[in-house]
Amino acid sequence: MQTLITFLLILGFVSPCLCVRWSVRTQNKTYNVKDYGAHGDGKADDSGAFLSAWKDTCGSYQTPTLVIPPNGVFLLKGITLSGPCIATSVNIQLQGSIVAPVKNEWLKVLGMKDPIQDPNQDLTDERFNLILISNVSSLSVDGSGGGSINGYGSTWWDCRNCERPTILRFKFCNDLTVSNLNITNSPKAHIRMNSCENATFSNISIHSPGDRPNTDGIDILASKNILIQDSTMQCGDDCIAISGGSSHINATGIACGPGHGISIGSLGRNKAYDTVEEVYVKNCTFTNTENGARIKTVPGGSGYVRNIIFENITVVQAQNPIIIDQYYESRKPMNGALNVSDVIFRGFSGSSAKENAINLNCSSSGCFDIVLDHIDIVSSPPGKPACCSCNNAHGTATDTVPYCSLLS
């Protein structure tokens, strides 16, 4: 009996401690970059503070949140947020503004020369991204509350053929959610994902001048099960570019323009084997874009593009509203081309800035099972009706204006 009483007394003293420890261990934890020394004045380099805060965030046992607070401008000079993390899910709350350094400051950090002076140097360093997030699963990045990133690309754009940095890159990130972000003026691509699975991007706003080179909105490479929705993209290249190794890509509710439209490709460059399949683009608008719905492959490549649907698309003075170009980057005949098949263009309406509203320019091996259905595109130039150009394309055209008589 005495033993039992002693045990109960000990348990009474210990239990509150256990409860406190359990509470601490299971509560969500926040890590504010300002608590790690970030200045947020737009002048001092806050890279070190971000990396220290990320180290604790990624190492937390709880469901941690890395906080970039409002009313701050945080200068970064190329950081990598690496996983895998201990927590099963991680949040990044971007409420303030992140800015990139000008070109010369960025290159100084990397120990590089100006690409104009030395175009042959190796620029593959992973720090050649403003923010690279790698090997982090179940990550949520939320810019609610005014979160923004400015890439200050104007200091890079004069060198049109130079390699230039990407602003936000995800690599080997699965079960990813990115929402409510405002990204402007990237030196090159605004967002890029490599080898990611199960990602959703929503309410993304991307803005850069329409004449700036290679400033893609979102690049998708070797990734699958990707959803991009309800977003606005104004840029100097593809609003969305879907590259080799990608499948099950959905884009819906995208307002693109200026830009080069939503493109599959380019594929097959340098005689590569590339594949893209199961792409669904729906309820999108292309305004004053160079292209609308585009598939582009390079002669000499191999592989396939198949099971593609562009549906319910509005074009406003797009130069090439519907285009398949299997001679991208080269007009010379070459052996080999990607197989393009099972492509549906359905429910297009609006205007073309050129007479040639539909351009199906396939290789000598042909494109097959191409469907044009309920297309109504008129030519913007007065007195010049829209037309269709067809080369080695095989399929059907139903209720299509302009009519494609050569689509066999």
Side-chain angles (χ1 to χ4, degrees):
M1 185 65 177
Q2 183 64 36
T3 303
L4 177 60
I5 293 173
T6 303
F7 173 77
L8 291 174
L9 289 173
I10 294 173
L11 183 62
F13 284 110
V14 172
S15 294
C17 299
L18 291 176
C19 291
V20 170
R21 290 179 182 176
W22 177 256
S23 175
V24 170
R25 188 175 180 82
T26 57
Q27 70 182 359
N28 294 341
K29 182 74 174 177
T30 61
Y31 300 88
N32 191 314
V33 295
K34 280 205 165 183
D35 294 335
Y36 291 80
H39 296 81
D41 59 5
K43 298 177 181 179
D45 183 5
D46 290 324
S47 301
F50 272 61
L51 291 173
S52 295
W54 173 255
K55 182 179 179 180
D56 286 351
T57 302
C58 190
S60 174
Y61 284 93
Q62 297 85 33
T63 301
T65 300
L66 176 69
V67 177
I68 299 97
N71 303 319
V73 179
F74 301 91
L75 174 65
L76 301 181
K77 294 186 178 181
I79 62 172
T80 298
L81 307 182
S82 297
C85 295
I86 292 176
T88 56
S89 61
V90 180
N91 304 317
I92 297 177
Q93 185 68 54
L94 174 56
Q95 300 169 328
S97 299
I98 292 174
V99 296
V102 297
K103 179 179 66 174
N104 290 340
E105 290 183 10
W106 202 332
L107 293 173
K108 187 184 298 183
V109 172
L110 300 178
M112 295 178 177
K113 299 179 181 178
D114 191 321
I116 297 178
Q117 300 173 355
D118 187 2
N120 297 318
Q121 64 185 317
D122 183 12
L123 298 178
T124 58
D125 192 308
E126 286 193 342
R127 291 178 297 164
F128 216 53
N129 306 275
L130 183 65
I131 302 172
L132 168 61
I133 302 178
S134 176
N135 290 286
V136 182
S137 296
S138 298
L139 171 67
S140 171
V141 181
D142 185 9
S144 297
S148 66
I149 308 175
N150 191 332
Y152 285 106
S154 59
T155 58
W156 293 87
W157 291 332
D158 287 342
C159 186
R160 299 185 65 88
N161 297 320
C162 293
E163 186 60 47
R164 284 170 270 123
T166 293
I167 288 299
L168 181 58
R169 181 181 176 191
F170 300 94
K171 187 176 180 182
F172 300 111
C173 292
N174 300 332
D175 303 313
L176 170 68
T177 302
V178 182
S179 59
N180 305 304
L181 280 188
N182 183 4
I183 304 179
T184 60
N185 296 325
S186 176
K188 199 173 181 182
H190 291 74
I191 298 175
R192 186 173 190 181
M193 66 188 85
N194 300 73
S195 304
C196 296
E197 294 187 19
N198 305 322
T200 297
F201 291 77
S202 59
N203 296 304
I204 307 299
S205 178
I206 289 173
H207 295 271
S208 63
D211 60 350
R212 299 299 87 186
N214 303 117
T215 51
D216 292 16
I218 298 180
D219 285 347
I220 304 170
L221 176 65
S223 298
K224 63 182 181 180
N225 297 325
I226 309 299
L227 170 62
I228 304 170
Q229 62 185 355
D230 304 326
S231 297
T232 300
M233 301 183 192
Q234 301 176 1
C235 55
D237 210 299
D238 297 320
C239 290
I240 299 174
I242 304 167
S243 298
S246 298
S247 65
H248 297 88
I249 311 298
N250 287 277
T252 181
I254 307 300
C256 171
H260 293 185
I262 294 180
S263 297
I264 296 172
S266 56
L267 304 174
R269 186 180 279 123
N270 298 321
K271 299 183 179 181
Y273 176 86
D274 280 327
T275 67
V276 172
E277 60 184 331
E278 305 295 341
V279 175
Y280 190 21
V281 178
K282 182 179 181 181
N283 297 335
C284 296
T285 301
F286 301 103
T287 303
N288 298 320
T289 53
E290 185 173 295
N291 308 284
R294 175 165 66 159
I295 297 173
K296 50 180 178 175
T297 72
V298 178
S302 61
Y304 56 80
V305 177
R306 64 192 184 195
N307 298 329
I308 312 297
I309 299 176
F310 292 93
E311 186 172 31
N312 296 340
I313 305 297
T314 300
V315 291
V316 181
Q317 296 193 31
Q319 294 185 37
N320 299 288
I322 296 174
I323 179 170
I324 298 176
D325 183 6
Q326 289 213 273
Y327 293 92
Y328 187 71
E329 294 185 339
S330 176
R331 301 301 161 189
K332 298 179 181 180
M334 295 179 64
N335 293 328
L338 276 79
N339 297 321
V340 176
S341 65
D342 297 291
V343 180
I344 298 174
F345 302 95
R346 177 186 292 128
F348 278 64
S349 63
S351 59
S352 172
K354 295 181 178 179
E355 297 175 63
N356 195 9
I358 302 174
N359 184 4
L360 308 177
N361 189 21
C362 298
S363 69
S364 58
S365 57
C367 304
F368 295 90
D369 297 317
I370 309 300
V371 174
L372 300 173
D373 182 30
H374 286 83
I375 309 295
D376 186 9
I377 303 175
V378 299
S379 177
S380 293
K384 296 182 178 180
C387 63
C388 171
S389 174
C390 226
N391 183 33
N392 298 320
H394 308 275
T396 60
T398 305
D399 294 329
T400 295
V401 177
Y403 183 64
C404 291
S405 59
L406 296 179
L407 183 62
S408 58

